[in-house]
Amino acid sequence: MPSGHIQQDTSRARPAGPRPLAPIPFDVEAVFPELAGTARTTTLLYPRAGQPGPDDSSIGGPPLWPADEPWPTCAEPDHYKPLAAPVGPDPVAMVPVVQLYARDVPGLVFPAGTDLLQILWCPLVHEDDQYAANPRLHWRSTALTAADVADGQPPRPHTAEQDYLPRPCTVSPTPAVEYPIWDLLDELSEQLRERFEAFREERGFGYFEVATTQQSKVGGYPSWTQPPDWPDCAGCGTRMEHLLSVTATEPGSGRWLPLDERNPSQDQATTPSWRAEADPDALDTFGHHMDMGGGGVDFFVCRTCPDTPYTHRYDR
């Protein structure tokens, strides 16, 4: 990536602002008072295939990268591509996964002096306790980085597991309120199970469908697909904060499908949001096309310790 100054491409369509969403179709805490106080604000990202640039928030897009900082590589001796020949001694170029500007995600808390979050990872399976891609997280100052940025596209890895190679996507950060899935206490989950089932039979939709999310998002609850595995900070021992999730799932139907992407042949006035289907012409643009075992990667930070240490959990 040679040195240069990147000019904003004004011909490139930028993503729309927050997507229009249907309201939740019932009062969660009135129907299930045991859930009072468990609501959290999250920012849904809604990745859509596109041509984001370094000046855009994106998933899989080119990052705003300092010209004097070498592109990161991974030389772990035990990383591999399943069912393929050994990787060999050559370092593997990391791939950009997430770039978020503070201006686009007001709910994301940035460390002092920074306003740009970047996550890259080695797109191979690693023989650690996660058995997944190996990420690195960077907090940057846009002003300092933009003073002298690398030009061109990031290098491509010479080998990669396709499950960890995102296609370039714009994002439309959208605030929403969600309730817990797996983070319900065991005794509370048991207590509510029969009532959840009765509620579904009565209303035609379930609590988990309309009140919880498992898509790519910032903040809120981790997108667990199995029992929670909250990490504790190695430095201070406190439970770390959920930063964001990159998941394999993007809603192609139901309550979390943006209203402007619903099938125009469905009458929105008579079709309830939980039965909405996506516009077939738009469906191919949904998501970053990483399968990740059907789950996702959740990122966590500690805001108490210096340098905002981070870790991740691969949830599949």
Side-chain angles (χ1 to χ4, degrees):
M1 299 176 70
S3 176
H5 290 277
I6 294 178
Q7 299 297 319
Q8 179 72 32
D9 180 2
T10 56
S11 66
R12 183 180 63 249
R14 295 179 67 88
R19 309 307 297 269
L21 299 178
I24 190 167
F26 76 109
D27 185 332
V28 173
E29 297 179 29
V31 177
F32 302 108
E34 297 88 345
L35 297 180
T38 63
R40 289 189 181 179
T41 299
T42 185
T43 301
L44 308 176
L45 293 178
Y46 290 110
R48 299 293 184 260
Q51 295 182 320
D55 298 313
D56 298 317
S57 292
S58 66
I59 288 183
L64 189 77
W65 197 260
D68 61 355
E69 186 174 330
W71 187 256
T73 61
C74 180
E76 294 290 337
D78 58 359
H79 60 193
Y80 65 94
K81 179 179 178 180
L83 306 178
V87 173
D90 293 335
V92 176
M94 302 190 85
V95 297
V97 181
V98 175
Q99 175 165 274
L100 296 174
Y101 285 88
R103 64 173 187 254
D104 297 326
V105 192
L108 176 56
V109 177
F110 284 76
T114 70
D115 60 356
L116 176 61
L117 168 64
Q118 296 171 332
I119 295 177
L120 300 87
W121 64 35
C122 173
L124 293 169
V125 176
H126 290 71
E127 289 282 357
D128 55 20
D129 60 347
Q130 298 295 313
Y131 286 92
N134 187 12
R136 296 181 194 173
L137 186 151
H138 301 270
W139 301 99
R140 300 190 189 278
S141 162
T142 301
L144 294 178
T145 306
D148 188 17
V149 298
D151 205 355
Q153 293 292 318
R156 298 287 293 178
H158 66 83
T159 183
E161 168 58 37
Q162 290 297 316
D163 277 359
Y164 302 123
L165 283 179
R167 64 175 176 175
C169 290
T170 61
V171 293
S172 296
T174 302
V177 173
E178 65 175 351
Y179 285 83
I181 306 176
W182 284 98
D183 282 292
L184 289 170
L185 296 175
D186 288 343
E187 59 269 24
L188 186 57
S189 180
E190 286 295 326
Q191 180 182 347
L192 291 175
R193 181 170 299 162
E194 290 186 4
R195 289 167 56 200
F196 281 158
E197 293 175 357
F199 179 82
R200 172 187 286 277
E201 291 181 6
E202 174 190 344
R203 301 289 185 99
F205 60 86
Y207 160 82
F208 295 102
E209 294 170 66
V210 301
T212 70
T213 71
Q214 288 181 298
Q215 62 205 81
S216 295
K217 59 185 175 180
V218 175
Y221 288 98
S223 292
W224 305 121
T225 58
Q226 55 192 0
D229 182 20
W230 284 91
D232 293 330
C233 177
C236 66
T238 60
R239 191 170 87 165
M240 300 180 82
E241 172 188 327
H242 175 237
L243 178 69
L244 61 86
S245 298
V246 179
T247 76
T249 305
E250 279 299 312
S253 62
R255 186 244 159 163
W256 297 107
L257 176 69
L259 296 175
D260 58 341
E261 291 181 322
R262 290 176 61 170
N263 190 334
S265 67
Q266 284 189 312
D267 185 349
Q268 292 197 27
T270 59
T271 303
S273 63
W274 60 92
R275 290 194 179 135
E277 297 177 356
D279 182 346
D281 293 335
L283 199 54
D284 286 345
T285 69
F286 286 21
H288 46 61
H289 279 192
M290 294 186 292
D291 182 72
M292 297 184 287
V297 180
D298 298 301
F299 293 88
F300 302 85
V301 294
C302 176
R303 299 193 185 276
T304 302
C305 291
D307 302 323
T308 317
Y310 67 91
T311 191
H312 69 288
R313 291 290 185 265
Y314 179 41
D315 188 58
R316 59 191 183 276

PDB file of all heavy atoms in Angstrom, residues 214-248:
ATOM      1  N   GLN A 214     -29.408 -11.631  17.014  1.00  0.00           N
ATOM      2  CA  GLN A 214     -28.180 -12.412  16.878  1.00  0.00           C
ATOM      3  C   GLN A 214     -27.450 -12.016  15.594  1.00  0.00           C
ATOM      4  O   GLN A 214     -26.823 -12.844  14.950  1.00  0.00           O
ATOM      5  CB  GLN A 214     -28.491 -13.916  16.879  1.00  0.00           C
ATOM      6  CG  GLN A 214     -28.905 -14.434  18.248  1.00  0.00           C
ATOM      7  CD  GLN A 214     -29.175 -15.922  18.241  1.00  0.00           C
ATOM      8  OE1 GLN A 214     -30.064 -16.403  17.547  1.00  0.00           O
ATOM      9  NE2 GLN A 214     -28.404 -16.664  19.006  1.00  0.00           N
ATOM     10  N   GLN A 215     -27.516 -10.753  15.237  1.00  0.00           N
ATOM     11  CA  GLN A 215     -26.878 -10.283  14.022  1.00  0.00           C
ATOM     12  C   GLN A 215     -25.665  -9.428  14.369  1.00  0.00           C
ATOM     13  O   GLN A 215     -25.380  -9.173  15.538  1.00  0.00           O
ATOM     14  CB  GLN A 215     -27.881  -9.480  13.198  1.00  0.00           C
ATOM     15  CG  GLN A 215     -28.411  -8.233  13.885  1.00  0.00           C
ATOM     16  CD  GLN A 215     -29.773  -7.820  13.346  1.00  0.00           C
ATOM     17  OE1 GLN A 215     -30.796  -8.369  13.728  1.00  0.00           O
ATOM     18  NE2 GLN A 215     -29.786  -6.839  12.466  1.00  0.00           N
ATOM     19  N   SER A 216     -24.912  -8.992  13.368  1.00  0.00           N
ATOM     20  CA  SER A 216     -23.744  -8.150  13.607  1.00  0.00           C
ATOM     21  C   SER A 216     -24.190  -6.841  14.251  1.00  0.00           C
ATOM     22  O   SER A 216     -25.112  -6.182  13.755  1.00  0.00           O
ATOM     23  CB  SER A 216     -23.015  -7.884  12.292  1.00  0.00           C
ATOM     24  OG  SER A 216     -22.481  -9.083  11.768  1.00  0.00           O
ATOM     25  N   LYS A 217     -23.520  -6.474  15.354  1.00  0.00           N
ATOM     26  CA  LYS A 217     -23.995  -5.330  16.131  1.00  0.00           C
ATOM     27  C   LYS A 217     -22.894  -4.822  17.043  1.00  0.00           C
ATOM     28  O   LYS A 217     -21.878  -5.484  17.269  1.00  0.00           O
ATOM     29  CB  LYS A 217     -25.211  -5.731  16.964  1.00  0.00           C
ATOM     30  CG  LYS A 217     -24.943  -6.878  17.956  1.00  0.00           C
ATOM     31  CD  LYS A 217     -26.214  -7.306  18.657  1.00  0.00           C
ATOM     32  CE  LYS A 217     -25.970  -8.515  19.553  1.00  0.00           C
ATOM     33  NZ  LYS A 217     -27.196  -8.954  20.246  1.00  0.00           N
ATOM     34  N   VAL A 218     -23.134  -3.633  17.584  1.00  0.00           N
ATOM     35  CA  VAL A 218     -22.244  -3.006  18.555  1.00  0.00           C
ATOM     36  C   VAL A 218     -22.994  -2.878  19.869  1.00  0.00           C
ATOM     37  O   VAL A 218     -24.142  -2.427  19.903  1.00  0.00           O
ATOM     38  CB  VAL A 218     -21.792  -1.609  18.077  1.00  0.00           C
ATOM     39  CG1 VAL A 218     -20.954  -0.917  19.148  1.00  0.00           C
ATOM     40  CG2 VAL A 218     -21.014  -1.713  16.771  1.00  0.00           C
ATOM     41  N   GLY A 219     -22.349  -3.272  20.964  1.00  0.00           N
ATOM     42  CA  GLY A 219     -22.976  -3.152  22.271  1.00  0.00           C
ATOM     43  C   GLY A 219     -24.122  -4.128  22.457  1.00  0.00           C
ATOM     44  O   GLY A 219     -24.277  -5.097  21.711  1.00  0.00           O
ATOM     45  N   GLY A 220     -24.932  -3.866  23.465  1.00  0.00           N
ATOM     46  CA  GLY A 220     -26.024  -4.772  23.763  1.00  0.00           C
ATOM     47  C   GLY A 220     -25.494  -6.097  24.295  1.00  0.00           C
ATOM     48  O   GLY A 220     -24.432  -6.169  24.918  1.00  0.00           O
ATOM     49  N   TYR A 221     -26.237  -7.153  24.025  1.00  0.00           N
ATOM     50  CA  TYR A 221     -25.837  -8.482  24.467  1.00  0.00           C
ATOM     51  C   TYR A 221     -24.999  -9.171  23.395  1.00  0.00           C
ATOM     52  O   TYR A 221     -25.233  -8.964  22.193  1.00  0.00           O
ATOM     53  CB  TYR A 221     -27.069  -9.339  24.762  1.00  0.00           C
ATOM     54  CG  TYR A 221     -27.806  -8.947  26.019  1.00  0.00           C
ATOM     55  CD1 TYR A 221     -28.931  -8.129  25.965  1.00  0.00           C
ATOM     56  CD2 TYR A 221     -27.373  -9.388  27.265  1.00  0.00           C
ATOM     57  CE1 TYR A 221     -29.619  -7.766  27.118  1.00  0.00           C
ATOM     58  CE2 TYR A 221     -28.051  -9.028  28.435  1.00  0.00           C
ATOM     59  CZ  TYR A 221     -29.165  -8.221  28.351  1.00  0.00           C
ATOM     60  OH  TYR A 221     -29.832  -7.847  29.502  1.00  0.00           O
ATOM     61  N   PRO A 222     -24.034 -10.004  23.775  1.00  0.00           N
ATOM     62  CA  PRO A 222     -23.330 -10.806  22.774  1.00  0.00           C
ATOM     63  C   PRO A 222     -24.315 -11.666  21.989  1.00  0.00           C
ATOM     64  O   PRO A 222     -25.372 -12.041  22.496  1.00  0.00           O
ATOM     65  CB  PRO A 222     -22.386 -11.681  23.618  1.00  0.00           C
ATOM     66  CG  PRO A 222     -22.210 -10.924  24.901  1.00  0.00           C
ATOM     67  CD  PRO A 222     -23.529 -10.238  25.143  1.00  0.00           C
ATOM     68  N   SER A 223     -23.946 -11.964  20.755  1.00  0.00           N
ATOM     69  CA  SER A 223     -24.833 -12.762  19.898  1.00  0.00           C
ATOM     70  C   SER A 223     -24.624 -14.255  20.148  1.00  0.00           C
ATOM     71  O   SER A 223     -24.309 -15.027  19.238  1.00  0.00           O
ATOM     72  CB  SER A 223     -24.585 -12.419  18.427  1.00  0.00           C
ATOM     73  OG  SER A 223     -24.998 -11.112  18.135  1.00  0.00           O
ATOM     74  N   TRP A 224     -24.797 -14.646  21.409  1.00  0.00           N
ATOM     75  CA  TRP A 224     -24.565 -16.050  21.749  1.00  0.00           C
ATOM     76  C   TRP A 224     -25.484 -16.974  20.959  1.00  0.00           C
ATOM     77  O   TRP A 224     -26.665 -16.689  20.788  1.00  0.00           O
ATOM     78  CB  TRP A 224     -24.830 -16.293  23.232  1.00  0.00           C
ATOM     79  CG  TRP A 224     -24.109 -15.461  24.230  1.00  0.00           C
ATOM     80  CD1 TRP A 224     -24.677 -14.656  25.171  1.00  0.00           C
ATOM     81  CD2 TRP A 224     -22.699 -15.370  24.457  1.00  0.00           C
ATOM     82  NE1 TRP A 224     -23.713 -14.064  25.949  1.00  0.00           N
ATOM     83  CE2 TRP A 224     -22.489 -14.480  25.536  1.00  0.00           C
ATOM     84  CE3 TRP A 224     -21.580 -15.944  23.831  1.00  0.00           C
ATOM     85  CZ2 TRP A 224     -21.215 -14.155  26.016  1.00  0.00           C
ATOM     86  CZ3 TRP A 224     -20.319 -15.619  24.306  1.00  0.00           C
ATOM     87  CH2 TRP A 224     -20.138 -14.745  25.382  1.00  0.00           C
ATOM     88  N   THR A 225     -24.950 -18.099  20.509  1.00  0.00           N
ATOM     89  CA  THR A 225     -25.782 -19.178  19.979  1.00  0.00           C
ATOM     90  C   THR A 225     -25.721 -20.394  20.903  1.00  0.00           C
ATOM     91  O   THR A 225     -26.280 -21.437  20.600  1.00  0.00           O
ATOM     92  CB  THR A 225     -25.316 -19.591  18.574  1.00  0.00           C
ATOM     93  OG1 THR A 225     -23.941 -20.004  18.628  1.00  0.00           O
ATOM     94  CG2 THR A 225     -25.455 -18.437  17.596  1.00  0.00           C
ATOM     95  N   GLN A 226     -25.031 -20.237  22.020  1.00  0.00           N
ATOM     96  CA  GLN A 226     -24.887 -21.292  23.016  1.00  0.00           C
ATOM     97  C   GLN A 226     -24.697 -20.620  24.378  1.00  0.00           C
ATOM     98  O   GLN A 226     -24.657 -19.389  24.450  1.00  0.00           O
ATOM     99  CB  GLN A 226     -23.687 -22.181  22.670  1.00  0.00           C
ATOM    100  CG  GLN A 226     -22.383 -21.427  22.492  1.00  0.00           C
ATOM    101  CD  GLN A 226     -21.301 -22.281  21.867  1.00  0.00           C
ATOM    102  OE1 GLN A 226     -21.499 -23.444  21.552  1.00  0.00           O
ATOM    103  NE2 GLN A 226     -20.140 -21.699  21.692  1.00  0.00           N
ATOM    104  N   PRO A 227     -24.592 -21.391  25.459  1.00  0.00           N
ATOM    105  CA  PRO A 227     -24.477 -20.753  26.776  1.00  0.00           C
ATOM    106  C   PRO A 227     -23.353 -19.726  26.832  1.00  0.00           C
ATOM    107  O   PRO A 227     -22.299 -19.899  26.221  1.00  0.00           O
ATOM    108  CB  PRO A 227     -24.214 -21.938  27.710  1.00  0.00           C
ATOM    109  CG  PRO A 227     -24.933 -23.071  27.052  1.00  0.00           C
ATOM    110  CD  PRO A 227     -24.729 -22.858  25.579  1.00  0.00           C
ATOM    111  N   PRO A 228     -23.548 -18.624  27.565  1.00  0.00           N
ATOM    112  CA  PRO A 228     -22.571 -17.521  27.599  1.00  0.00           C
ATOM    113  C   PRO A 228     -21.200 -17.955  28.099  1.00  0.00           C
ATOM    114  O   PRO A 228     -21.070 -18.857  28.937  1.00  0.00           O
ATOM    115  CB  PRO A 228     -23.202 -16.514  28.558  1.00  0.00           C
ATOM    116  CG  PRO A 228     -24.658 -16.830  28.543  1.00  0.00           C
ATOM    117  CD  PRO A 228     -24.748 -18.306  28.346  1.00  0.00           C
ATOM    118  N   ASP A 229     -20.190 -17.294  27.577  1.00  0.00           N
ATOM    119  CA  ASP A 229     -18.810 -17.511  28.004  1.00  0.00           C
ATOM    120  C   ASP A 229     -18.155 -16.139  28.192  1.00  0.00           C
ATOM    121  O   ASP A 229     -17.227 -15.776  27.482  1.00  0.00           O
ATOM    122  CB  ASP A 229     -18.056 -18.345  26.957  1.00  0.00           C
ATOM    123  CG  ASP A 229     -16.627 -18.652  27.377  1.00  0.00           C
ATOM    124  OD1 ASP A 229     -16.331 -18.569  28.584  1.00  0.00           O
ATOM    125  OD2 ASP A 229     -15.797 -18.950  26.494  1.00  0.00           O
ATOM    126  N   TRP A 230     -18.673 -15.375  29.140  1.00  0.00           N
ATOM    127  CA  TRP A 230     -18.156 -14.026  29.388  1.00  0.00           C
ATOM    128  C   TRP A 230     -16.714 -14.099  29.877  1.00  0.00           C
ATOM    129  O   TRP A 230     -16.418 -14.821  30.827  1.00  0.00           O
ATOM    130  CB  TRP A 230     -18.997 -13.307  30.428  1.00  0.00           C
ATOM    131  CG  TRP A 230     -20.307 -12.801  29.929  1.00  0.00           C
ATOM    132  CD1 TRP A 230     -21.506 -13.456  29.943  1.00  0.00           C
ATOM    133  CD2 TRP A 230     -20.569 -11.513  29.340  1.00  0.00           C
ATOM    134  NE1 TRP A 230     -22.494 -12.664  29.399  1.00  0.00           N
ATOM    135  CE2 TRP A 230     -21.955 -11.472  29.027  1.00  0.00           C
ATOM    136  CE3 TRP A 230     -19.771 -10.400  29.056  1.00  0.00           C
ATOM    137  CZ2 TRP A 230     -22.551 -10.362  28.444  1.00  0.00           C
ATOM    138  CZ3 TRP A 230     -20.369  -9.287  28.470  1.00  0.00           C
ATOM    139  CH2 TRP A 230     -21.746  -9.274  28.177  1.00  0.00           C
ATOM    140  N   PRO A 231     -15.791 -13.335  29.274  1.00  0.00           N
ATOM    141  CA  PRO A 231     -14.405 -13.351  29.753  1.00  0.00           C
ATOM    142  C   PRO A 231     -14.186 -12.379  30.897  1.00  0.00           C
ATOM    143  O   PRO A 231     -14.856 -11.343  30.999  1.00  0.00           O
ATOM    144  CB  PRO A 231     -13.611 -12.904  28.521  1.00  0.00           C
ATOM    145  CG  PRO A 231     -14.560 -12.009  27.777  1.00  0.00           C
ATOM    146  CD  PRO A 231     -15.945 -12.564  28.028  1.00  0.00           C
ATOM    147  N   ASP A 232     -13.237 -12.715  31.774  1.00  0.00           N
ATOM    148  CA  ASP A 232     -12.762 -11.801  32.799  1.00  0.00           C
ATOM    149  C   ASP A 232     -11.443 -11.195  32.342  1.00  0.00           C
ATOM    150  O   ASP A 232     -10.646 -11.851  31.660  1.00  0.00           O
ATOM    151  CB  ASP A 232     -12.555 -12.534  34.130  1.00  0.00           C
ATOM    152  CG  ASP A 232     -13.866 -13.014  34.741  1.00  0.00           C
ATOM    153  OD1 ASP A 232     -14.894 -12.350  34.507  1.00  0.00           O
ATOM    154  OD2 ASP A 232     -13.852 -14.049  35.434  1.00  0.00           O
ATOM    155  N   CYS A 233     -11.218  -9.950  32.700  1.00  0.00           N
ATOM    156  CA  CYS A 233      -9.990  -9.256  32.316  1.00  0.00           C
ATOM    157  C   CYS A 233      -8.794  -9.903  33.010  1.00  0.00           C
ATOM    158  O   CYS A 233      -8.809 -10.116  34.229  1.00  0.00           O
ATOM    159  CB  CYS A 233     -10.084  -7.786  32.680  1.00  0.00           C
ATOM    160  SG  CYS A 233      -8.581  -6.840  32.325  1.00  0.00           S
ATOM    161  N   ALA A 234      -7.751 -10.194  32.237  1.00  0.00           N
ATOM    162  CA  ALA A 234      -6.547 -10.792  32.813  1.00  0.00           C
ATOM    163  C   ALA A 234      -5.831  -9.821  33.736  1.00  0.00           C
ATOM    164  O   ALA A 234      -5.076 -10.232  34.628  1.00  0.00           O
ATOM    165  CB  ALA A 234      -5.607 -11.241  31.698  1.00  0.00           C
ATOM    166  N   GLY A 235      -6.057  -8.516  33.532  1.00  0.00           N
ATOM    167  CA  GLY A 235      -5.361  -7.523  34.337  1.00  0.00           C
ATOM    168  C   GLY A 235      -6.000  -7.245  35.678  1.00  0.00           C
ATOM    169  O   GLY A 235      -5.323  -7.214  36.703  1.00  0.00           O
ATOM    170  N   CYS A 236      -7.335  -7.053  35.685  1.00  0.00           N
ATOM    171  CA  CYS A 236      -7.997  -6.657  36.937  1.00  0.00           C
ATOM    172  C   CYS A 236      -9.009  -7.681  37.437  1.00  0.00           C
ATOM    173  O   CYS A 236      -9.537  -7.536  38.542  1.00  0.00           O
ATOM    174  CB  CYS A 236      -8.667  -5.297  36.765  1.00  0.00           C
ATOM    175  SG  CYS A 236     -10.039  -5.290  35.586  1.00  0.00           S
ATOM    176  N   GLY A 237      -9.310  -8.689  36.629  1.00  0.00           N
ATOM    177  CA  GLY A 237     -10.198  -9.756  37.078  1.00  0.00           C
ATOM    178  C   GLY A 237     -11.673  -9.484  36.944  1.00  0.00           C
ATOM    179  O   GLY A 237     -12.493 -10.357  37.250  1.00  0.00           O
ATOM    180  N   THR A 238     -12.069  -8.286  36.499  1.00  0.00           N
ATOM    181  CA  THR A 238     -13.491  -7.981  36.357  1.00  0.00           C
ATOM    182  C   THR A 238     -14.023  -8.526  35.032  1.00  0.00           C
ATOM    183  O   THR A 238     -13.265  -8.744  34.076  1.00  0.00           O
ATOM    184  CB  THR A 238     -13.739  -6.469  36.415  1.00  0.00           C
ATOM    185  OG1 THR A 238     -13.010  -5.835  35.353  1.00  0.00           O
ATOM    186  CG2 THR A 238     -13.283  -5.894  37.746  1.00  0.00           C
ATOM    187  N   ARG A 239     -15.344  -8.732  34.991  1.00  0.00           N
ATOM    188  CA  ARG A 239     -15.943  -9.215  33.754  1.00  0.00           C
ATOM    189  C   ARG A 239     -15.837  -8.132  32.683  1.00  0.00           C
ATOM    190  O   ARG A 239     -16.141  -6.966  32.940  1.00  0.00           O
ATOM    191  CB  ARG A 239     -17.404  -9.608  33.954  1.00  0.00           C
ATOM    192  CG  ARG A 239     -17.953 -10.372  32.746  1.00  0.00           C
ATOM    193  CD  ARG A 239     -19.307 -10.973  33.020  1.00  0.00           C
ATOM    194  NE  ARG A 239     -20.385 -10.039  32.742  1.00  0.00           N
ATOM    195  CZ  ARG A 239     -21.664 -10.389  32.616  1.00  0.00           C
ATOM    196  NH1 ARG A 239     -22.021 -11.658  32.771  1.00  0.00           N
ATOM    197  NH2 ARG A 239     -22.590  -9.489  32.369  1.00  0.00           N
ATOM    198  N   MET A 240     -15.431  -8.523  31.486  1.00  0.00           N
ATOM    199  CA  MET A 240     -15.221  -7.565  30.418  1.00  0.00           C
ATOM    200  C   MET A 240     -16.559  -7.157  29.795  1.00  0.00           C
ATOM    201  O   MET A 240     -17.571  -7.842  29.937  1.00  0.00           O
ATOM    202  CB  MET A 240     -14.264  -8.144  29.370  1.00  0.00           C
ATOM    203  CG  MET A 240     -12.911  -8.499  29.948  1.00  0.00           C
ATOM    204  SD  MET A 240     -11.737  -9.185  28.746  1.00  0.00           S
ATOM    205  CE  MET A 240     -11.122  -7.681  27.980  1.00  0.00           C
ATOM    206  N   GLU A 241     -16.538  -6.039  29.094  1.00  0.00           N
ATOM    207  CA  GLU A 241     -17.732  -5.463  28.469  1.00  0.00           C
ATOM    208  C   GLU A 241     -17.849  -5.937  27.025  1.00  0.00           C
ATOM    209  O   GLU A 241     -16.855  -5.989  26.297  1.00  0.00           O
ATOM    210  CB  GLU A 241     -17.607  -3.941  28.517  1.00  0.00           C
ATOM    211  CG  GLU A 241     -18.659  -3.174  27.744  1.00  0.00           C
ATOM    212  CD  GLU A 241     -18.344  -1.685  27.697  1.00  0.00           C
ATOM    213  OE1 GLU A 241     -17.767  -1.173  28.677  1.00  0.00           O
ATOM    214  OE2 GLU A 241     -18.669  -1.041  26.679  1.00  0.00           O
ATOM    215  N   HIS A 242     -19.063  -6.266  26.614  1.00  0.00           N
ATOM    216  CA  HIS A 242     -19.277  -6.645  25.213  1.00  0.00           C
ATOM    217  C   HIS A 242     -19.089  -5.422  24.332  1.00  0.00           C
ATOM    218  O   HIS A 242     -19.751  -4.399  24.509  1.00  0.00           O
ATOM    219  CB  HIS A 242     -20.678  -7.210  25.027  1.00  0.00           C
ATOM    220  CG  HIS A 242     -21.017  -7.503  23.595  1.00  0.00           C
ATOM    221  ND1 HIS A 242     -22.101  -6.951  22.962  1.00  0.00           N
ATOM    222  CD2 HIS A 242     -20.384  -8.260  22.659  1.00  0.00           C
ATOM    223  CE1 HIS A 242     -22.147  -7.374  21.717  1.00  0.00           C
ATOM    224  NE2 HIS A 242     -21.114  -8.155  21.495  1.00  0.00           N
ATOM    225  N   LEU A 243     -18.180  -5.531  23.374  1.00  0.00           N
ATOM    226  CA  LEU A 243     -17.891  -4.422  22.463  1.00  0.00           C
ATOM    227  C   LEU A 243     -18.736  -4.535  21.202  1.00  0.00           C
ATOM    228  O   LEU A 243     -19.493  -3.628  20.860  1.00  0.00           O
ATOM    229  CB  LEU A 243     -16.409  -4.407  22.095  1.00  0.00           C
ATOM    230  CG  LEU A 243     -15.972  -3.322  21.116  1.00  0.00           C
ATOM    231  CD1 LEU A 243     -16.062  -1.944  21.767  1.00  0.00           C
ATOM    232  CD2 LEU A 243     -14.548  -3.592  20.616  1.00  0.00           C
ATOM    233  N   LEU A 244     -18.612  -5.645  20.492  1.00  0.00           N
ATOM    234  CA  LEU A 244     -19.380  -5.841  19.264  1.00  0.00           C
ATOM    235  C   LEU A 244     -19.367  -7.309  18.877  1.00  0.00           C
ATOM    236  O   LEU A 244     -18.573  -8.098  19.398  1.00  0.00           O
ATOM    237  CB  LEU A 244     -18.853  -4.968  18.128  1.00  0.00           C
ATOM    238  CG  LEU A 244     -17.409  -5.165  17.638  1.00  0.00           C
ATOM    239  CD1 LEU A 244     -17.313  -6.269  16.585  1.00  0.00           C
ATOM    240  CD2 LEU A 244     -16.860  -3.870  17.054  1.00  0.00           C
ATOM    241  N   SER A 245     -20.241  -7.663  17.961  1.00  0.00           N
ATOM    242  CA  SER A 245     -20.329  -9.025  17.429  1.00  0.00           C
ATOM    243  C   SER A 245     -20.317  -8.976  15.911  1.00  0.00           C
ATOM    244  O   SER A 245     -20.937  -8.093  15.305  1.00  0.00           O
ATOM    245  CB  SER A 245     -21.629  -9.713  17.890  1.00  0.00           C
ATOM    246  OG  SER A 245     -21.686  -9.838  19.292  1.00  0.00           O
ATOM    247  N   VAL A 246     -19.598  -9.917  15.310  1.00  0.00           N
ATOM    248  CA  VAL A 246     -19.639 -10.139  13.863  1.00  0.00           C
ATOM    249  C   VAL A 246     -20.197 -11.536  13.675  1.00  0.00           C
ATOM    250  O   VAL A 246     -19.554 -12.527  14.055  1.00  0.00           O
ATOM    251  CB  VAL A 246     -18.241 -10.017  13.226  1.00  0.00           C
ATOM    252  CG1 VAL A 246     -18.319 -10.276  11.719  1.00  0.00           C
ATOM    253  CG2 VAL A 246     -17.636  -8.646  13.484  1.00  0.00           C
ATOM    254  N   THR A 247     -21.404 -11.635  13.127  1.00  0.00           N
ATOM    255  CA  THR A 247     -22.088 -12.920  13.075  1.00  0.00           C
ATOM    256  C   THR A 247     -22.380 -13.350  11.645  1.00  0.00           C
ATOM    257  O   THR A 247     -22.338 -12.550  10.708  1.00  0.00           O
ATOM    258  CB  THR A 247     -23.426 -12.865  13.838  1.00  0.00           C
ATOM    259  OG1 THR A 247     -24.388 -12.160  13.041  1.00  0.00           O
ATOM    260  CG2 THR A 247     -23.270 -12.153  15.170  1.00  0.00           C
ATOM    261  N   ALA A 248     -22.680 -14.635  11.512  1.00  0.00           N
ATOM    262  CA  ALA A 248     -23.011 -15.190  10.207  1.00  0.00           C
ATOM    263  C   ALA A 248     -24.456 -14.931   9.825  1.00  0.00           C
ATOM    264  O   ALA A 248     -24.846 -15.173   8.681  1.00  0.00           O
ATOM    265  CB  ALA A 248     -22.743 -16.701  10.206  1.00  0.00           C
TER     266      ALA A 248
END
